Amino acid sequence: MSYGPRHPIGCDQILSRVYFFIDNELDEADSRQIRQHLDACAPCLDEVAVERLVKALVARSCSERAPVELRQRVVFSIRQVQLEVSQLELGHPRPDVD
């Protein structure tokens, strides 16, 4: 997406963190940054609204919860991927995993 002077942070950067924002998993500074962007960017605001709706529909449709151990493994895997992505974004090479 394109952005101008009113959007110092690109829409792609905002939307890459939208799930963390919706789930309240960002610190206050990051959340404030995203809210400020959404206040000025209707397309991103629409995208967030759609994602919130999808999340609500999925939550309503799911009547069973995953076992605690499975949930912990999934969360751990997600965190590992997030860490790897963060390292790559910072220019750090991916460590060899055997």
Side-chain angles (χ1 to χ4, degrees):
M1 290 185 169
S2 62
Y3 50 94
R6 291 192 58 168
H7 304 291
I9 297 173
C11 297
D12 55 339
Q13 291 175 328
I14 295 298
L15 294 177
S16 71
R17 297 182 294 168
V18 72
Y19 297 110
F20 302 110
F21 176 73
I22 291 171
D23 291 339
N24 297 312
E25 295 179 356
L26 297 174
D27 63 33
E28 183 56 35
D30 285 339
S31 293
R32 186 177 343 98
Q33 189 179 55
I34 290 176
R35 283 191 302 272
Q36 288 172 347
H37 182 95
L38 296 177
D39 287 344
C41 184
C44 285
L45 182 62
D46 290 343
E47 186 68 28
V48 169
V50 168
E51 295 302 333
R52 283 186 169 142
L53 178 61
V54 168
K55 181 178 175 150
L57 289 172
V58 168
R60 252 192 319 198
S61 300
C62 296
S63 60
E64 295 181 35
R65 292 189 57 99
V68 173
E69 291 131 2
L70 174 60
R71 289 176 35 165
Q72 290 172 340
R73 287 195 324 251
V74 169
V75 169
F76 179 76
S77 295
I78 290 170
R79 297 292 186 227
Q80 280 185 306
V81 169
Q82 289 172 329
L83 181 60
E84 289 176 12
V85 168
S86 295
Q87 294 296 317
L88 290 173
E89 288 175 350
L90 294 173
H92 298 287
R94 183 174 176 213
D96 291 335
V97 179
D98 292 47

